[in-house]
Amino acid sequence: MAATSSSLSSCLLSDHGIAAGDPAKCYTAKQAVSAKSLSMSSRLRHSMEASRLSSTTTRGPARCCSAVETKISPLFTLGKKFHLDDVIEAQQFDRDTLNAIFEVAREMEEIEMNPSGSQILKGFIMATLFYEPSTRTRLSFECAMKRLGGEVLTTENAREFSSAAKGETLEDTIRTVEGYSDIIVLRHFESGATRRAAATASIPVINAGDGPGQHPTQALLDIYTIDREIGKLDGIKVALVGDLANGRTVRSLAYLLAKYKDVKIYFVSPEVVKMKDDIKDYLTSEGVEWEESADLIDVASKCDVVYQTRIQKERFGERTDLYEEARGKYIVDSDVLDVMQKHAVVMHPLPRLDEVNANDLITVGNFLVMIQSSFGM
């Protein structure tokens, strides 16, 4: 069963904030699926994103996000409305926050299924400012906002078709755009760009992917999906496969997995795109067991989740030789599926190239393919 990314994003939007994300493409042995922000499958993504949006934006002079409840501790209570600060990185979330977001996301799924939608964000405007290509991420954020009654201002190629092409700084662009909107969803080609934007803006800013840095809203969707499909987050084994050096989705997912107990993470990648030391050092500091392996078949047989990613050609620049060295080395096909446990799932954040053999996934026994409108890498 696939969750919709709208639900997850709507959950953040509905608490007087704005947020969204993309769900991951999921292939599974049973059923596969995939803050100010968050998201899931095309429907689940919209709800998650709507939830993110509603919990991050405040109308009027005071733009900061704070708990709706009067109690200072905890920040929020499950079942109650809550506000989040800028969504910049996965590390900013703790387990209580994640549980609260997911509870609201489930409520947003019901709203998303209602043909009449909701008006809880009527009068709010979200600006989607994308300096890199995106299909699922941008559209899922915008869909979540509209389903909750809000309006959208968008630019899908700000790098070429905005004042950035004339040399305008990101900071100046943010100062201008915040004058037209109540929340900004930013995708940028530079790692750390969202942090710069949030430091400049007086309204909430959501990181929809910053170069090879992070993609926290995708990670929120992925964690939500794993919980729905596997039934737990503690004690699971997850294989992160593919371009681990440049893949922002795997970086953010690793940070979130570290919030849970007795998790083990396997890194499977070509030598030229191995996971960077900062992630491995963080996992070690948090007491999370991790292991690097070159044997996808062996790792897949042990894992609850195989999270496959594409080799990102756009990150190699002129080093096409390194790209050719990395691509096609690890492919999820019938050989991998044959050794996976019956409850295990294969997930992919999309877009997909040749690293997942969809024909094998469709024809192998009880494996079901689900495309969850991913955030996109």
Side-chain angles (χ1 to χ4, degrees), residues 11-12 15 38 69 72-84 90-106 220 223 233-234 256 259-261:
C11 94
L12 298 181
D15 290 335
L38 181 117
E69 303 191 83
I72 295 178
S73 180
L75 175 62
F76 53 78
T77 300
L78 292 182
K80 302 294 183 180
K81 292 183 178 180
F82 61 92
H83 286 181
L84 299 173
Q91 302 97 299
Q92 74 186 72
F93 299 100
D94 58 27
R95 285 189 64 153
D96 287 341
T97 308
L98 293 172
N99 290 339
I101 289 172
F102 296 160
E103 180 172 313
V104 180
R106 287 188 285 271
L220 289 168
I223 287 289
L233 290 165
D234 290 322
L256 285 191
K259 308 295 181 183
Y260 296 91
K261 298 178 182 178

Side-chain angles (χ1 to χ4, degrees), residues 40-229:
M40 305 230 25
S41 150
S42 72
R43 286 190 168 284
L44 186 76
R45 175 177 68 236
H46 302 322
S47 329
M48 289 277 296
E49 290 165 356
S51 76
R52 281 192 293 272
L53 292 177
S54 46
S55 49
T56 54
T57 302
T58 328
R59 190 85 170 182
R63 296 290 187 173
C64 62
C65 298
S66 57
V68 172
E69 303 191 83
T70 56
K71 297 179 181 179
I72 295 178
S73 180
L75 175 62
F76 53 78
T77 300
L78 292 182
K80 302 294 183 180
K81 292 183 178 180
F82 61 92
H83 286 181
L84 299 173
D85 293 328
D86 305 277
V87 175
I88 297 176
E89 58 186 11
Q91 302 97 299
Q92 74 186 72
F93 299 100
D94 58 27
R95 285 189 64 153
D96 287 341
T97 308
L98 293 172
N99 290 339
I101 289 172
F102 296 160
E103 180 172 313
V104 180
R106 287 188 285 271
E107 297 173 4
M108 288 298 106
E109 287 187 60
E110 298 180 9
I111 291 179
E112 196 273 338
M113 295 294 290
N114 185 345
S116 61
S118 170
Q119 293 299 308
I120 57 180
L121 289 183
K122 184 177 182 180
F124 289 90
I125 298 175
M126 176 182 71
T128 51
L129 191 57
F130 279 58
Y131 289 78
E132 280 192 325
S134 171
T135 301
R136 287 155 292 274
T137 302
R138 183 173 62 86
L139 293 182
S140 62
F141 270 102
E142 294 177 5
C143 180
M145 188 63 178
K146 288 180 175 292
R147 287 186 183 277
L148 293 178
E151 298 295 330
V152 174
L153 298 176
T154 184
T155 174
E156 61 179 318
N157 192 349
R159 192 172 188 176
E160 295 184 26
F161 301 110
S162 76
S163 292
K166 304 174 185 177
E168 182 173 75
T169 65
L170 174 63
E171 286 77 6
D172 280 354
T173 298
I174 294 297
R175 292 185 186 101
T176 301
V177 173
E178 72 173 348
Y180 309 140
S181 58
D182 301 290
I183 188 167
I184 297 172
V185 178
L186 175 67
R187 169 167 289 187
H188 203 275
F189 51 88
E190 291 182 354
S191 179
T194 305
R195 187 177 297 280
R196 290 167 50 202
T200 301
S202 60
I203 62 175
V205 177
I206 296 171
N207 183 357
D210 59 344
Q214 285 209 44
H215 200 336
T217 58
Q218 174 72 60
L220 289 168
L221 173 59
D222 292 336
I223 287 289
Y224 187 58
T225 299
I226 293 170
D227 188 35
R228 287 171 61 103
E229 292 304 306

